[in-house]
Amino acid sequence: MGSRTTRSIRRRSESLFAFGLLYAALCRAQPIAVSPAPGGEIALAVKSPMSLARYVESHRSIEWKTVRNALGLGESSYWLAPCGSNFPAAEARCSTEAITTTRPDQVIVVIRGGVDSYAVEYLRYLRDANGGWSFSGENSALQRNAPSDRKLLSIWNEPFLAISSDHSQTGVATGQMREEWFDLTQPGFEPVFSFTVDGSQSHFGFGVGRTVHATCNVNQTANTQIIELTLNIHFDGVGLDQQSAYLGVYERRADEKTFKLHSASAGLDRRQPIPVKDFADLADPFSAIANEKLLVLAFSGLKKIATGSNSDAREWLSSVLRHTADTPEKRSLINLLTKP
């Protein structure tokens, strides 16, 4: 009985050993499928706009640092993930949109997150000579109080992409909705013209505030493209209600990439030229226009306050003047305020 049991155990051990050898041989013969490493998957995804869009929409969490490195963008302390990230404003899943144009053939992938997302990502691809795709550039549009929007424009029979972004900062009482124009005939993806569509800056009791609304009109000569930017500015404060208009002319010659501010005037009839820097400062709500200059620009409205009977407005004007250096306009307003 003992020898029979011993032989049975030996045969079973030999069978298990043979099965192990066979299994090992099969493992060596049949490669095991392994998922690609995240970096390898991303390297493949960024090869074309379509594969990038598929990758972004199919992943809840995205290795944005790896994606940006694969695109050759590198790191930036100012860049904010639009979605698929690990902080609340960017934790929503990503959705994509493809903007396509010809002359040249291109696709711009728009990547959006949720309603609380801080930014929208615009990634441009150009079709190369071999029918493949080459990455051409990026724009990250901020969203603070308003979402980023985009629109395709046809200007001078050329395609332009206009991208809006909200740069408002509540802490410094400044609002700015900015629009940037991209010339889609150029190889790079940098704005050729930008302006504040709507903006505001409040100085409370320290200075004259203003709100800005701008509109564009395009024109051209034989070899120059022209953008006329009209600024409608409301100078404001307690009791201050003054509307003023300014005109800035931006030009780009055939051999230039970007538009430059060429001339400016107070009013729309071009009869009163002003320095282009003054126009640029007025158009940008983040510019630090001195109180002394604001007194000149808003003098007619401030004069009405100084000669009026609104005590709150007169007190506000007195506070503004205390924060203003000595100028003829300041002395004139003080004299009007102190008249019995």
Side-chain angles (χ1 to χ4, degrees), residues 5-309:
T5 301
T6 300
R7 287 195 299 272
S8 176
I9 292 173
R10 185 182 299 118
R11 284 196 299 271
R12 189 177 304 156
S13 298
E14 290 172 350
S15 297
L16 289 172
F17 180 72
F19 177 77
L21 291 175
L22 177 61
Y23 179 78
L26 287 172
C27 286
R28 286 194 298 271
Q30 299 293 327
I32 298 173
V34 178
S35 298
E41 183 183 13
I42 290 171
L44 292 174
V46 300
K47 294 292 186 184
S48 77
M50 292 75 71
S51 57
L52 178 60
R54 285 194 299 269
Y55 170 82
V56 166
E57 290 198 338
S58 62
H59 288 71
R60 179 170 292 278
S61 179
I62 296 172
E63 294 287 342
W64 282 111
K65 182 178 180 179
T66 307
V67 170
R68 289 180 61 80
N69 286 338
L71 290 170
L73 294 171
E75 296 186 28
S76 170
S77 57
Y78 301 103
W79 186 84
L80 297 169
C83 48
S85 192
N86 58 0
F87 60 95
E91 64 184 1
R93 294 197 70 154
C94 298
S95 63
T96 64
E97 172 194 5
I99 302 171
T100 61
T101 68
T102 57
R103 296 182 303 130
D105 288 342
Q106 59 193 286
V107 175
I108 299 164
V109 180
V110 185
I111 304 174
R112 299 181 183 273
V115 294
D116 297 323
S117 174
Y118 290 144
V120 175
E121 188 78 349
Y122 295 80
L123 300 169
R124 185 195 190 204
Y125 283 80
L126 291 173
R127 180 83 74 175
D128 60 34
N130 298 320
W133 294 99
S134 59
F135 178 66
S136 176
E138 173 226 25
N139 179 265
S140 180
L142 292 177
Q143 300 185 135
R144 297 190 187 276
N145 302 321
S148 170
D149 197 8
R150 61 84 182 171
K151 55 188 175 183
L152 277 173
L153 307 173
S154 179
I155 308 174
W156 307 295
N157 293 320
E158 297 175 357
F160 284 75
L161 178 66
I163 297 176
S164 67
S165 55
D166 186 358
H167 293 251
S168 303
Q169 293 188 16
T170 304
V172 293
T174 302
Q176 185 188 42
M177 180 60 72
R178 193 167 73 189
E179 188 169 288
E180 296 178 310
W181 290 9
F182 297 78
D183 184 346
L184 298 183
T185 66
Q186 294 188 359
F189 194 51
E190 298 291 336
V192 297
F193 173 65
S194 64
F195 67 102
T196 299
V197 181
D198 289 291
S200 63
Q201 186 182 60
S202 176
H203 290 288
F204 304 104
F206 303 101
V208 174
R210 71 188 187 280
T211 58
V212 180
H213 176 69
T215 55
C216 291
N217 182 50
V218 298
N219 206 339
Q220 70 180 131
T221 62
N223 63 350
T224 303
Q225 296 172 337
I226 301 168
I227 300 174
E228 296 176 343
L229 185 68
T230 299
L231 295 183
N232 291 295
I233 295 185
H234 177 231
F235 293 105
D236 53 41
V238 179
L240 176 60
D241 183 14
Q242 178 181 322
Q243 299 283 348
S244 299
Y246 299 85
L247 179 67
V249 179
Y250 295 76
E251 296 184 356
R252 180 177 74 166
R253 295 193 303 270
D255 59 342
E256 296 177 322
K257 287 187 176 182
T258 61
F259 288 83
K260 296 179 177 62
L261 182 56
H262 180 264
S263 61
S265 58
L268 304 182
D269 56 8
R270 307 172 194 257
R271 293 180 181 177
Q272 187 180 344
I274 62 173
V276 293
K277 185 180 185 310
D278 287 357
F279 181 88
D281 286 344
L282 282 168
D284 180 5
F286 282 98
S287 65
I289 302 178
N291 269 351
E292 295 75 29
K293 179 157 288 187
L294 289 167
L295 288 192
V296 175
L297 297 173
F299 187 76
S300 62
L302 296 173
K303 185 177 178 180
K304 288 181 181 179
I305 292 176
T307 57
S309 58

Side-chain angles (χ1 to χ4, degrees), residues 309-327:
S309 58
N310 185 328
S311 59
D312 290 338
R314 288 168 63 88
E315 182 179 348
W316 170 81
L317 177 55
S318 296
S319 174
V320 170
L321 294 176
R322 286 195 295 272
H323 294 89
T324 306
D326 184 45
T327 65

